[in-house]
Amino acid sequence: ALEAHEHFDPLADLTVSNWERERRKEADAQGMPLLLGEWGLARSTENFDLFMEQVLAMADRQLAGWAYWSYDPGSWSLIEGEERQETAGADILTRTYAQRVAGTPTAMSYAPETGAFRLDFEPRTGVSGATEIYVPKARHYPSGFRVSLDGQDLSLSGIWDADRAVLSVSHGPGAGPHRIEIESQ
């Protein structure tokens, strides 16, 4: 389990960087994708939001899946009170990410302060369909967003499913690599 203690100093604490280094070694040795199956911390932890953002950025760099462990209800929960109001942690965890990639992902990043998202991937023979990206528009892009594929702006018409909050981007046949970028308007 990856967790911070009651005091997390993002400048001095090596928890995330040590974990990232060791998991990269293991993933490389196994030749397998990485899944961070349990992580979290109490909301009362000093610099709670910074720890969460560092873990999520590390997961993106590792192209790793993850599951937040919330211990509902309680101090690790993303909801509180009888009204079940979301905490600040819900905003941090609800972020833009690739759900399905039509190829092999090589890099992914999300900047929570701006909403900028980038996905790089290589097409693969026999892989077809669209790359699907979850985009929490209502939460993080209230004025909308722009999307580009390989530097060319795309119209959201026909590729944005507002009900599912999913962007479906297809690329034509041909060489890669490809890059999808999303930016706030």
Side-chain angles (χ1 to χ4, degrees), residues 95-102 115 117-119 121 129-137 141 144-149 152-171 179-184:
R95 61 204 314 262
T96 301
Y97 71 95
Q99 292 181 323
R100 292 175 183 85
V101 180
F117 172 83
R118 187 185 86 218
L119 172 68
F121 63 100
T131 293
E132 293 187 350
I133 300 170
Y134 173 73
V135 182
K137 181 182 182 289
Y141 304 91
F145 61 90
R146 293 184 308 276
V147 62
S148 66
L149 172 64
Q152 301 296 313
D153 287 340
L154 300 178
S155 165
L156 293 179
S157 177
I159 66 170
W160 173 242
D161 182 336
D163 292 336
R164 293 176 42 225
V166 172
L167 181 68
S168 297
V169 178
S170 298
H171 58 83
R179 174 173 285 175
I180 297 172
E181 294 180 284
I182 297 171
E183 297 176 335
S184 293

Side-chain angles (χ1 to χ4, degrees), residues 33-116:
L34 183 64
L35 172 65
L36 177 53
E38 178 181 330
W39 73 279
L41 71 160
R43 290 188 319 269
S44 60
T45 303
E46 188 175 345
N47 294 310
F48 164 85
D49 55 340
L50 294 174
F51 178 77
M52 291 182 70
E53 288 172 2
Q54 285 186 0
V55 171
L56 293 168
M58 178 268 303
D60 285 350
R61 288 189 301 272
Q62 299 274 339
L63 297 170
W66 54 267
Y68 181 81
W69 187 266
S70 68
Y71 289 102
D72 286 335
S75 67
W76 291 40
S77 179
L78 301 177
I79 53 173
E80 63 186 353
E82 290 183 25
E83 299 84 29
R84 301 185 62 83
Q85 295 294 312
E86 288 184 349
T87 67
D91 272 340
I92 295 169
L93 292 176
T94 305
R95 61 204 314 262
T96 301
Y97 71 95
Q99 292 181 323
R100 292 175 183 85
V101 180
T104 302
T106 57
M108 186 172 71
S109 64
Y110 173 73
E113 62 280 356
T114 65

